[in-house]
């Protein structure tokens, strides 16, 4: 979360919505606590220990949290109130929570309250309600109904996620990402990104004319040759005009090229950790990646990949904001794709590709390679 988003919590903490959708199957163990008069929970599944601290021990931990590391251990230390974008309360006691798996600590969390263990049912929070949670909206994954009947905001952290955030997998989101292409006509035409399984360059007899591209569509052997992939289309809606289907956007209409029966590629999307500073650029990047059917988690700390073990297939990493070695220690099974405005003569160690920051088509092509491998 950017520093601009941090600040004092609103005078009246936002009220939790009513029962917001489908609940997780059965109650789960939770750690419940309060910040600024509002109740929160963390999943207890990965909590190895929660230690109460006070006085000088607490103050030392607060100073360590400003550096982001627990002493000489090298473990990340996160002060939760600051990570949520809330003004840390003035308190002389709190708790140090150790997260990990198989008795191995992987991360530590500092909480400005004494948490209590309880049980509750967690409901995934609809995206439409996220703005109700003020500066910490990107950290709230759901609503927990506790054993005593009270409700609490369920925090969604990579080091312990209680319930998966609602996936934007509906048809209109799939249709929100299109490529604009040229096929020898004066007008640009469009192809759904969700219908593609790959993009390949075609050899031709006149290299000076630029490479033609072969688009691989979902379905057995379906291909589409185009003269040029121009870029990403503005977001729009699909309409029929006679026998033709059109992508209608604020800047114009584009005929859809793929056959009407071509379905989005039938496979589970990759699990992607997008590590970039919070802001409009990250939001656009995340929306593009989600529109391809991938599941995206966001992080603004370059060390975030160390906290999540093998949970992600791809790390999408902002090389303009962070040094390429900042995520050292990330699980090697995950593919690394960098995004940068600079030109790299050679790939940074461990990275499979680096795509230009202002070239969404290059990113689409890099992620489509993921689909081809998974298939």
């Amino acid at each position: 979360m950017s520093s601009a988003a941090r600040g004092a919590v609103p005078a009246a903490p936002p009220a939790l919505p009513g029962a917001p959708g489908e609940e997780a199957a059965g109650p789960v163990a939770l750690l419940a606590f309060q910040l600024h008069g509002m109740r929160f929970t963390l999943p207890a599944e990965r909590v190895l220990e929660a230690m109460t601290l006070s006085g000088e021990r607490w103050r030392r931990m607060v100073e360590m949290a400003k550096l982001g590391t627990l002493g000489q251990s090298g473990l990340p230390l996160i002060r939760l109130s600051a990570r949520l974008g809330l003004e840390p309360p003035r308190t002389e006691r709190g708790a140090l929570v150790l997260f990990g798996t198989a008795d191995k600590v992987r991360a530590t969390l500092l909480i400005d309250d004494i948490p209590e263990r309880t049980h509750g049912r967690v409901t995934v929070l609809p995206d439409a309600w996220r703005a109700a949670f003020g500066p910490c909206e990107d950290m709230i994954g759901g609503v927990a109904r506790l054993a005593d009947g009270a409700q609490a905001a369920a925090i969604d952290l990579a080091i312990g996620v209680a319930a998966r955030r609602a996936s934007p997998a509906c048809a209109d989101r799939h249709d929100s990402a299109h490529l604009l292409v040229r096929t020898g006509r004066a007008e640009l035409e469009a192809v759904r990104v969700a219908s593609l399984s790959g993009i390949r360059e075609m050899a031709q007899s006149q290299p000076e004319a630029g490479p033609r591209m072969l688009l691989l569509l979902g379905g057995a052997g379906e291909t589409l040759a185009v003269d040029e992939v121009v870029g990403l289309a503005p977001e729009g809606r699909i309409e029929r005009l006679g026998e033709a289907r059109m992508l209608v956007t604020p800047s114009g209409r584009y005929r859809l090229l793929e056959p009407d029966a071509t379905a989005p590629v039938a496979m589970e999307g990759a699990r992607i950790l997008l590590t970039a500073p919070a802001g409009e650029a990250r939001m656009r990047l995340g929306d593009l990646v989600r529109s391809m059917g991938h599941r995206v988690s966001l992080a603004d700390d370059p060390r975030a990949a160390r906290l999540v073990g093998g949970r992600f297939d791809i790390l999408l990493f902002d090389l303009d904001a962070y040094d390429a070695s900042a995520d050292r220690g990330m699980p090697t099974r995950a593919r690394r794709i960098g995004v940068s405005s600079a030109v790299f003569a050679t790939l940074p160690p461990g990275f499979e590709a680096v795509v230009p920051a202002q070239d969404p088509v290059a990113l689409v092509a890099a992620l489509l390679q993921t689909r081809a491998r998974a298939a």
Side-chain angles (χ1 to χ4, degrees), residues 71-345:
Q72 301 299 315
S73 69
L75 291 168
L77 175 61
I78 302 167
R79 191 173 186 182
L80 186 59
S81 56
R83 181 63 183 85
L84 287 168
L86 306 176
E87 186 69 29
R90 295 181 179 179
T91 178
E92 286 296 312
R93 69 172 193 159
L96 177 67
V97 179
L98 308 183
F99 281 91
T101 54
D103 295 327
K104 183 177 181 180
V105 179
R106 297 186 179 275
T108 58
L109 199 66
L110 205 59
I111 297 178
D112 295 89
D113 189 28
I114 307 303
E116 59 178 2
R117 291 182 179 266
T118 183
H119 287 79
R121 294 179 179 271
V122 177
T123 303
V124 176
L125 186 70
D127 285 339
W129 293 357
R130 198 163 302 284
F133 291 90
C136 54
E137 62 185 58
D138 67 324
M139 295 290 294
I140 306 302
V143 172
R145 187 174 295 279
L146 306 180
D148 61 3
Q151 289 189 117
I155 295 174
D156 181 355
L157 274 178
I159 54 178
V161 178
R164 187 176 300 281
R165 193 171 285 178
S167 175
C170 54
D172 61 335
R173 290 301 298 269
H174 276 304
D175 280 341
S176 67
H178 294 74
L179 294 179
L180 293 181
V181 300
R182 295 188 187 277
T183 60
R185 299 164 58 99
E187 303 84 7
L188 294 176
E189 296 167 294
V191 179
R192 283 184 303 167
V193 170
S195 72
L196 298 176
S197 59
I199 301 177
R200 295 179 184 171
E201 190 172 307
M202 298 172 61
Q204 58 179 334
S205 57
Q206 298 179 327
E208 65 276 5
R212 299 190 72 210
M213 308 301 290
L214 187 66
L215 307 184
L216 310 180
L217 302 177
E222 293 183 83
T223 61
L224 182 65
V226 300
D227 296 324
E228 180 187 4
V229 178
V230 176
L232 204 63
E235 188 171 343
R237 64 185 185 277
I238 307 300
E239 292 185 356
R240 282 198 173 273
L241 185 61
E243 295 298 317
R245 289 180 308 136
M246 309 292 291
L247 171 64
V248 180
T249 76
S251 59
R253 294 184 176 186
Y254 308 95
R255 185 171 69 95
L256 285 174
L257 289 182
E258 77 270 13
D260 198 354
T262 301
V265 176
M267 63 165 291
E268 185 177 1
R271 299 165 302 174
I272 296 179
L273 178 63
L274 171 55
T275 304
E280 185 178 350
R282 188 178 75 174
M283 182 177 64
R284 290 198 306 267
L285 196 58
D287 287 345
L288 170 60
V289 176
R290 287 189 187 94
S291 72
M292 296 179 66
H294 299 300
R295 292 166 290 164
V296 181
S297 295
L298 303 177
D300 52 17
D301 189 322
R303 302 165 299 177
R306 303 179 191 177
L307 311 182
V308 293
R311 288 185 52 218
F312 292 93
D313 304 306
I314 297 174
L315 174 63
L316 195 57
F317 196 84
D318 187 341
L319 289 171
D320 290 340
Y322 312 117
D323 184 83
S325 63
D327 69 328
R328 187 173 291 130
M330 193 193 75
T332 54
R333 65 178 294 274
R335 298 173 55 217
R336 279 189 274 191
I337 299 175
V339 179
S340 176
S341 57
V343 177
F344 285 75

